[in-house]
Amino acid sequence: LQVDLWQPSSPFHIIEGTVTDVRVPQNTTRSLLPYLQQANIPYTILIPDLQKAIENQTGLRSYRNRRSLSEYNYEVYHSLEEIQDWMHHLNKTHSDLVHMFSVGKSYEGRPLYVLKLGKRSRPYKKAVWIDCGIHAREWIGPAFCQWFVKEALQTYQTDPAMRKMLTQLYFYIMPVFNVDGYHFSWTNDRFWRKTRSKNTRFHCHGVDANRNWKVKWCDEGASFHPCDDTYCGPFPESEPEVKAVAHFLRKHRKQIKAYLSFHAYAQMLLYPYSYKYATIPNFNCVESAAYNAVNALQSAYGIRYRYGPASSTLYVSSGSSMDWAYKNGIPYAFAFELRDTGHFGFLLPETLIKPTCTETMLAVKNITLHLLKKCH
């Protein structure tokens, strides 16, 4: 739970025994600390100046605008415009391996771009879908999607595993799923999570794009209230972004064998189900893929990810993209919760982009190569 003391709508009822992030205006800090001490509530100041930390990430820097693959800086966060320019550039300069297309338009009319990555070696190939940035504030997601593309293009000639992956599979990569929300997190509210659709009855904007899928829609772990962060929307696929991706996945469901969605934060590798405590039919295959992936990830920097069904490993949530993908015939469906475990949270420093993406890359390659083996 995250509480904002400057927002009247902020939830003040905090369940005893839970850990809560509290964001407070600087002039309130001194009056709040004695209260916490008096109430015997243990606290830790994680980020002394949150505004400064935000400005460090969103500040205008000339080197952000370098477009070419050799000069583009993958160790800083990029705005939506920069990411889309980067996609256009790769589409022009790497046409042998990259094909860019749009699956539709967002609520605010922005194109929903996807990169199709792979060698055109045969007419039919299995495919892997990768999306990042369903939740706007989770900037490390889009950073990883870009990192994955960079690694694929730079190591295709030298790494036998990457060559095998791009020869035998296609990758559909959507660096920013929630384009409107991501743009808003750069321009207005760094901690924005939802889409930016308008609600006619309330003055609140947006729907949680990971509660809007047609699988146990708006059941446990989702909210009917438009002002809540986990608002499920007025109906399933109400958000044009969700509808467009769902349509694409349905259309290619025979080809797509894995669905990977990247979120933050918690350091977890999750698989279905999110909406109920139950074992999936192909549990052994998925569990072994997850086990090997977290071991591969740990081999880089010693970071240990927890793994398991989302409902019991993280929490119960309905209407998620991962459950929907699995229910629609994609046998390997995973959601990554990237670094960290809460110290920096959504404000993961740019210095941690490289290690986070490097270790995650090992896990994704491991899952992908697992796909190419037979698992019964």
Side-chain angles (χ1 to χ4, degrees):
L1 177 65
Q2 184 171 275
V3 177
D4 296 331
L5 294 190
W6 62 79
Q7 291 181 355
S9 63
S10 200
F12 280 96
H13 181 73
I14 300 167
I15 300 165
E16 191 176 342
T18 59
V19 176
T20 307
D21 288 345
V22 183
R23 299 190 305 187
V24 292
Q26 277 186 318
N27 57 4
T28 316
T29 311
R30 283 180 187 162
S31 58
L32 179 68
L33 297 187
Y35 168 77
L36 292 173
Q37 289 161 351
Q38 194 182 344
N40 227 6
I41 297 170
Y43 67 88
T44 307
I45 297 172
L46 297 176
I47 303 173
D49 191 335
L50 189 63
Q51 187 61 37
K52 192 176 177 185
I54 292 169
E55 286 165 4
N56 283 344
Q57 290 186 358
T58 56
L60 293 172
R61 285 174 254 180
S62 59
Y63 63 77
R64 282 187 183 281
N65 296 318
R66 293 179 182 168
R67 311 287 187 213
S68 72
L69 191 63
S70 58
E71 291 179 347
Y72 191 85
N73 192 343
Y74 293 89
E75 295 181 37
V76 298
Y77 295 116
H78 289 279
S79 67
L80 180 67
E81 183 193 10
E82 288 165 0
I83 293 170
Q84 291 188 339
D85 283 349
W86 166 83
M87 293 172 82
H88 280 290
H89 180 82
L90 292 186
N91 192 48
K92 280 183 200 163
T93 56
H94 290 77
S95 54
D96 56 327
L97 287 171
V98 175
H99 169 62
M100 177 181 168
F101 62 96
S102 170
V103 292
K105 286 201 169 172
S106 70
Y107 179 82
E108 293 180 343
R110 294 182 174 89
L112 302 171
Y113 287 130
V114 174
L115 293 178
K116 183 182 183 181
L117 192 61
K119 197 77 183 159
R120 296 179 186 91
S121 48
R122 58 183 91 155
Y124 174 84
K125 292 204 294 183
K126 291 179 185 175
V128 175
W129 171 276
I130 296 176
D131 64 48
C132 299
I134 278 185
H135 293 140
R137 62 194 177 192
E138 299 166 10
W139 286 10
I140 188 61
F144 173 73
C145 265
Q146 293 172 86
W147 190 277
F148 179 88
V149 176
K150 166 193 78 96
E151 284 293 299
L153 297 177
Q154 287 182 353
T155 66
Y156 171 69
Q157 299 290 354
T158 54
D159 177 8
M162 186 59 76
R163 180 178 280 276
K164 184 179 181 183
M165 284 161 56
L166 295 184
T167 304
Q168 296 189 25
L169 297 163
Y170 280 126
F171 290 86
Y172 293 108
I173 298 149
M174 191 176 199
V176 188
F177 183 110
N178 177 8
V179 288
D180 297 346
Y182 185 73
H183 177 72
F184 190 77
S185 74
W186 273 80
T187 56
N188 291 72
D189 180 357
R190 175 63 183 84
F191 293 94
W192 188 256
R193 169 183 167 99
K194 300 188 283 181
T195 61
R196 291 296 300 161
S197 54
K198 286 177 186 164
N199 188 283
T200 47
R201 284 186 57 215
F202 294 83
H203 290 296
C204 303
H205 283 257
V207 165
D208 184 341
N210 207 34
R211 301 289 185 279
N212 191 233
W213 298 72
K214 199 173 182 178
V215 54
K216 282 288 173 184
W217 176 77
C218 224
D219 209 321
E220 192 177 345
S223 170
F224 272 117
H225 198 287
C227 295
D228 288 346
D229 262 354
T230 55
Y231 175 46
C232 58
F235 52 88
E237 295 182 27
S238 63
E239 303 313 281
E241 300 86 353
V242 173
K243 189 174 185 176
V245 173
H247 174 73
F248 180 85
L249 293 174
R250 269 193 292 263
K251 196 173 164 186
H252 296 85
R253 75 172 94 192
K254 287 183 180 173
Q255 180 194 18
I256 296 171
K257 300 300 175 188
Y259 172 90
L260 308 178
S261 191
F262 290 85
H263 297 257
Y265 54 91
Q267 292 175 192
M268 292 177 181
L269 177 53
L270 308 170
Y271 51 81
Y273 297 104
S274 288
Y275 72 88
K276 64 177 178 179
Y277 300 106
T279 304
I280 53 175
N282 64 336
F283 170 80
N284 289 342
C285 290
V286 171
E287 169 84 359
S288 67
Y291 170 79
N292 291 329
V294 297
N295 283 343
L297 186 147
Q298 189 178 6
S299 71
Y301 301 98
I303 300 294
R304 186 71 190 164
Y305 271 44
R306 289 172 58 201
Y307 68 96
S311 53
S312 54
T313 311
L314 185 58
Y315 48 64
V316 174
S317 65
S318 56
S320 76
S321 65
M322 178 183 70
D323 279 353
W324 183 92
Y326 186 76
K327 284 280 193 179
N328 277 267
I330 300 175
Y332 288 89
F334 292 101
F336 280 80
E337 292 284 352
L338 302 178
R339 292 198 198 186
D340 59 4
T341 54
H343 183 95
F344 295 110
F346 304 118
L347 280 181
L348 194 72
E350 291 179 321
T351 52
L352 294 179
I353 293 175
K354 184 179 180 178
T356 303
C357 291
T358 301
E359 67 193 7
T360 308
M361 194 73 200
L362 295 175
V364 173
K365 282 173 79 172
N366 201 282
I367 289 171
T368 304
L369 294 169
H370 185 97
L371 275 184
L372 296 172
K373 297 172 191 164
K374 288 222 165 149
C375 184
H376 300 289

